[in-house]
Amino acid sequence: MSGRRQKTQAVLAVPAAPRSEAPKRAGEGTKPPTAARAPERPANTDPLMEEVVERANLTAALRRVKANKGSPGIDGMTVEEVPGYLREHGPALRAQLLQGTYRPQPVKRVEIPKPGGGTRKLGVPTVLDRVLQQAVLQVLQGDWDRTFSPHSYGFRPHRSAQQAVAQAQQYVVDGYGWVVDLDLEKFFDRVNHDQLMGQVAKRITDRRLLRLLRAFLTAGVLADGLVSPTDEGTPQGGPLSPLLSNLVLDALDRELERRGHRFVRYADDCNIYVRSERAGQRVMASITHFLTTRLKLKVNRAKSAVARPGERTFLGFSFTRPPASRRRLAPSTRTRFKARVRELTRRTRGVSLETMVQQLGIYLRGWHGYFGFCQTPTVLQDLDAWIRRRLRSAVWKQWKQGRTRFTELRRRGVGLALATTTAGSAHGPWRLSHSRALDVALPTGLFATLGLPELAAGR
């Protein structure tokens, strides 16, 4: 054992729980995305709470929560303060968990802007509750995940949104040229607790863990100084919420499989692919009825539709027309991208070109790590050229005076006549950013040496 692990375990100071006689789950969550759904195993009769409070499991949970960082909950405790708290109160905490008497604190209401407008409500648990939720997740996820549908991609080990998009594309290529695009209205806020706990109880029988899961769901929300009860929903912001949401929607997956549909689901985004508009309308009506009556969920009719795949957005992508259907950036994706780049390259920011490129590069690398998956390289090339024009405009604005502009152009290799004409031009920064003089003074290679990534590189 490394010194680092020893240090982390010492911080916890939680006595090791007796080892369960249940066999170890080897290779949890390591099945490939194409693996067939494993049969759901009978209700678990293991003492799962003992597994939750095992020192190794709690240590791993604490490490994960610290890596995720995040803000404090209602008690103000930070991730840095948790080890000290556990060192002092660990034995008492473990006793409460094993006795089934632990009660989580209410979550803190936080609103964050949505990419497409509006806000998303998050419930931020205390850091201690996040550690405990993570510990429960680590025990349950391996068993539960392998019973989920291969058509489900969200919040699952070794699965990604890109895989979901690729599968959707394959359906389109195979001739399923209409999509039933379902949008669940405020899904995370509308999950029925009784139905959810009924599904949980089919998988585990440890009453202490069932009681703890129910307590996490009903802990309440602190907003504007008042604690409100939570009678439904799984507040976004806790480690357990994604797993519980997948459990709720597993019933939808099973129903779609039973009917033989081609579909892809990523969290609460579900697309069903059919061969005709008429079939799509029929599926939309029947699945909406199933979600409303069986799962007590509401379909947002304004945002749901039966349409050609190229007319809809799935996880930020759209598709060109078959038969050679290609992945492309959805219009809303490009709009949000340009808005963010405009913010980072604003001419009045008052930062150097080097700083601007550094900050812009962080965003571009993260964006490209996901959206570089598109199959329209000319779009990426156009975005690269547009970004360089934005940077040239910002630099031209920073040079301000005609004398400074002339001096900078000459220093960077622009001929006398061209430098004179350009420096004295009455045109604005955006038009001049495409001029021959600025192409010479601020070439593509210069931005590359400053660390600006190219979105179309390697294509």
Side-chain angles (χ1 to χ4, degrees), residues 161-173:
Q162 291 180 336
Q163 291 173 340
V165 172
Q167 180 60 73
Q169 179 188 13
Q170 187 61 52
Y171 288 140
V172 177
V173 171

Side-chain angles (χ1 to χ4, degrees), residues 71-77 102 105-108 124-131:
S71 61
I74 65 171
D75 61 356
M77 185 187 298
Y102 179 79
Q105 296 190 64
V107 299
K108 181 172 66 175
V124 180
T126 65
V127 178
L128 178 60
D129 284 337
R130 294 208 295 271
V131 171

Side-chain angles (χ1 to χ4, degrees), residues 174-379:
D174 290 344
Y176 295 86
W178 290 85
V179 60
V180 181
D181 187 357
L182 288 169
D183 183 276
L184 298 179
E185 185 174 313
K186 297 182 179 179
F187 165 71
F188 287 92
D189 296 331
R190 295 183 182 275
V191 171
N192 184 282
H193 287 176
D194 291 334
Q195 284 198 342
L196 171 56
M197 291 306 301
Q199 291 297 317
V200 173
K202 292 178 181 179
R203 294 170 179 259
I204 60 176
T205 58
D206 189 320
R207 293 182 179 275
R208 299 162 301 176
L209 187 52
L210 289 171
R211 195 176 299 122
L212 179 62
L213 290 172
R214 171 77 76 166
F216 280 131
L217 292 173
T218 59
V221 176
L222 177 65
D224 300 323
L226 298 175
V227 175
S228 302
T230 47
D231 300 322
E232 60 179 0
T234 59
Q236 298 182 73
L240 268 175
S241 182
L243 179 65
L244 296 178
S245 66
N246 269 334
L247 181 59
V248 171
L249 291 176
D250 186 58
L252 171 62
D253 298 340
R254 291 176 182 271
E255 180 66 16
L256 293 173
E257 288 177 345
R258 186 185 67 80
R259 300 184 186 190
H261 288 307
R262 278 82 177 166
F263 71 98
V264 180
R265 184 177 65 79
Y266 189 93
D268 57 336
D269 288 331
C270 184
N271 279 5
I272 308 167
Y273 293 85
V274 296
R275 292 190 182 274
S276 69
E277 183 178 13
R278 182 177 179 181
Q281 296 293 352
R282 185 171 60 250
V283 170
M284 173 68 82
S286 62
I287 294 301
T288 297
H289 181 263
F290 173 82
L291 288 167
T292 303
T293 59
R294 291 281 298 278
L295 300 186
K296 309 301 181 185
L297 298 173
K298 185 177 181 180
V299 174
N300 188 328
R301 297 182 183 275
K303 294 184 178 181
S304 300
V306 176
R308 293 289 190 181
E311 299 171 2
R312 305 297 294 177
T313 297
F314 183 53
L315 302 177
F317 291 91
S318 185
F319 305 107
T320 60
R321 285 184 173 274
S325 182
R326 295 180 299 163
R327 299 183 294 272
R328 66 183 180 186
L329 301 177
S332 58
T333 297
R334 280 186 282 179
T335 298
R336 290 195 298 269
F337 173 81
K338 287 194 168 186
R340 180 58 177 155
V341 172
R342 285 191 181 99
E343 181 183 345
L344 292 170
T345 59
R346 196 173 63 249
R347 299 170 196 166
T348 57
R349 284 194 64 199
V351 299
S352 67
L353 176 63
E354 291 77 10
T355 299
M356 188 176 290
V357 168
Q358 180 185 17
Q359 295 172 351
L360 180 61
I362 295 172
Y363 172 70
L364 293 181
R365 279 184 283 273
W367 186 90
H368 185 266
Y370 179 75
F371 289 107
F373 184 59
C374 74
Q375 295 173 312
T376 50
T378 55
V379 173

Side-chain angles (χ1 to χ4, degrees), residues 14-56:
V14 179
R19 295 187 63 84
S20 167
E21 295 180 359
K24 281 291 183 181
R25 304 178 180 90
E28 289 182 347
T30 59
K31 290 187 178 294
T34 56
R37 178 203 292 256
E40 184 176 342
R41 71 176 197 168
N44 193 337
T45 57
D46 295 339
L48 291 181
M49 190 61 82
E50 276 74 12
E51 294 186 41
V52 170
V53 300
E54 279 186 352
R55 173 174 292 191

